[in-house]
């Protein structure tokens, strides 16, 4: 029987002063961003604070590592880049959006950022502007695999093939769902419109439903994938670990509060941040 438990937590006097909004990993480091505009760097093993810096004057809404570069985006409508090893600024203004930037993702070669104005902007690894895709409605969820863009607007998931030029894309499908959006193995996973169950689909046209994961009693706020496993959490303050191959729940664990972001490490551990700025590490055994 699988057991999921919190194995480390950031000390209260070191955690963020406001709600945590994003988490990502780079080697032995865990990066978290929060509404206080700060990025904190933690030891992957014990969540001891390594360093921190003021990334933005306003909330850090998401963060992402590409190669040795850490990108941060904010409600101040900017994206910045930092050396992931030293945390020194690389490009203080990668991109400027008209509205708050909500989500970032990468296909390995480009950075994509979606904002509240409905614009998804594509940048090179060096921060250079490459293309803009106007989606009209604000971006709540965003993934890109190769040249396939997955975007979540107010309602529904739109899957499009990018053509390499601004506003040049072909819609492949539109399916039921809402943020958060996860690709795990050959599965596309997102909550249903009610927000409390996860729909598991084949990640190939026509994106047929494989099953539905039921367990959360309140709306899901964050999810992450690792192989054939997905972790999800919501306003019920529980992390639930799911086996997609069997379409079943493996284990659950209570969190210190509602989590706004989850991330898997390469060794399968789960990191969470959320209400009140807490950061914790969970492990399945």
């Amino acid at each position: 029987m699988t057991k999921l438990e919190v194995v480390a937590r950031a000390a209260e006097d070191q955690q963020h002063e406001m709600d945590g909004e994003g988490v990502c990993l780079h080697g032995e480091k865990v990066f978290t961003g929060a509404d206080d505009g700060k990025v904190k760097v933690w030891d992957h093993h014990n969540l001891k604070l390594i360093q921190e810096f003021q990334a933005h004057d306003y909330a850090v809404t998401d963060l992402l590592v590409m190669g040795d570069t850490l990108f941060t985006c904010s409600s101040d409508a900017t994206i910045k880049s930092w050396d992931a090893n030293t945390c020194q600024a690389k490009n203080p203004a990668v991109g400027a959006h008209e509205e708050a930037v909500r989500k970032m993702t990468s296909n390995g070669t480009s950075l994509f950022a979606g904002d509240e104005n409905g614009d998804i902007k594509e940048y090179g690894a060096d921060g250079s502007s490459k293309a803009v895709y106007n989606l009209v409605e604000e971006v709540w969820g965003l993934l890109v695999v190769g040249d396939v863009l997955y975007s979540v607007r107010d309602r529904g998931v739109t899957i499009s093939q990018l053509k390499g030029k601004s506003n040049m894309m072909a819609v492949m499908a539109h399916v039921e769902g809402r943020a958060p959006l996860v690709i795990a193995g050959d599965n596309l996973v997102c909550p249903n419109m009610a927000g409390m169950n996860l729909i598991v689909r084949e990640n190939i046209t026509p994106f047929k439903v494989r099953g539905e994961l039921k367990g959360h009693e309140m709306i899901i706020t964050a999810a992450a994938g690792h192989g054939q496993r997905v972790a999800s959490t919501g306003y019920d303050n529980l992390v639930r670990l799911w086996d997609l191959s069997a379409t079943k729940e493996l284990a659950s664990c209570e969190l210190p509060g509602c989590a706004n972001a989850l991330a898997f490490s390469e060794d399968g551990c789960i990191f969470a941040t959320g209400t009140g700025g807490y950061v914790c590490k969970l492990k399945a055994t």
Side-chain angles (χ1 to χ4, degrees):
M1 182 177 178
T2 303
K3 180 181 180 182
L4 183 65
E5 60 183 337
V6 174
V7 294
R9 182 177 175 184
E12 289 190 11
D13 61 349
Q14 295 182 336
Q15 67 185 28
H16 289 279
E17 296 177 1
M18 301 177 71
D19 292 356
E21 299 290 350
V23 58
C24 67
L25 290 95
H26 177 64
E28 297 293 296
K29 295 179 179 180
V30 179
F31 297 95
T32 56
D35 287 343
D36 54 15
K38 292 182 179 180
V39 169
K40 295 193 179 231
V41 189
W42 312 88
D43 183 287
H44 163 280
H45 301 285
N46 52 27
L47 288 184
K48 299 294 184 183
L49 184 64
I50 298 173
Q51 67 183 110
E52 63 180 87
F53 60 97
Q54 191 73 39
H56 296 265
D57 292 333
Y58 296 91
V60 174
T61 51
D62 200 6
L63 33 72
L64 174 149
V65 173
M66 281 182 64
D68 288 324
T69 301
L70 170 70
F71 291 94
T72 61
C73 64
S74 171
S75 57
D76 65 11
T78 66
I79 301 169
K80 298 181 180 181
S81 66
W82 317 82
D83 187 303
N85 298 307
T86 66
C87 293
Q88 296 298 307
K90 295 180 97 172
N91 186 342
V94 172
H97 291 238
E98 294 182 3
E99 298 290 343
V101 184
R102 298 189 59 89
K103 292 294 180 183
M104 296 187 297
T105 191
S106 171
N107 62 357
T109 57
S110 293
L111 172 75
F112 296 82
D115 63 31
E116 291 186 356
N117 199 44
D119 293 333
I120 295 175
K121 296 189 177 184
E122 179 182 359
Y123 302 94
D126 61 354
S128 59
S129 179
K130 297 179 71 174
V132 180
Y133 306 97
N134 305 110
L135 301 185
V136 182
E137 297 176 353
E138 60 189 60
V139 179
W140 290 90
L142 181 64
L143 289 173
V144 180
V145 179
D147 62 354
V148 179
L149 169 72
Y150 304 77
S151 58
V152 183
R153 303 185 223 181
D154 181 38
R155 295 185 179 184
V157 179
T158 301
I159 304 160
S160 307
Q161 185 176 33
L162 303 178
K163 301 298 184 179
K165 295 182 180 180
S166 292
N167 290 326
M168 295 293 290
M169 54 183 155
V171 175
M172 299 168 60
H174 183 81
V175 300
E176 175 189 352
R178 56 186 289 171
L181 186 64
V182 174
I183 292 176
D186 58 352
N187 303 285
L188 175 64
V189 184
C190 64
N192 62 357
M193 293 310 297
M196 292 182 284
N197 297 339
L198 289 172
I199 302 173
V200 182
R201 297 178 179 273
E202 296 177 354
N203 188 27
I204 187 172
T205 306
F207 305 97
K208 292 181 179 179
V209 174
R210 285 177 164 164
E212 192 167 358
L213 303 171
K214 301 178 180 180
H216 287 286
E217 297 181 355
M218 301 185 75
I219 289 175
I220 295 166
T221 56
H226 183 260
Q228 290 294 322
R229 289 185 173 186
V230 161
S232 61
T233 188
Y235 289 114
D236 56 8
N237 299 344
L238 291 174
V239 171
R240 296 187 183 275
L241 182 64
W242 311 91
D243 179 353
L244 299 182
S245 60
T247 321
K248 69 175 185 179
E249 182 178 338
L250 293 174
S252 64
C253 180
E254 187 172 359
L255 290 173
C258 178
N260 295 318
L262 297 176
F264 273 99
S265 59
E266 291 185 2
D267 60 1
C269 292
I270 303 166
F271 293 83
T273 186
T275 305
Y278 77 84
V279 182
C280 65
K281 174 183 178 179
L282 300 92
K283 186 175 182 179
T285 55

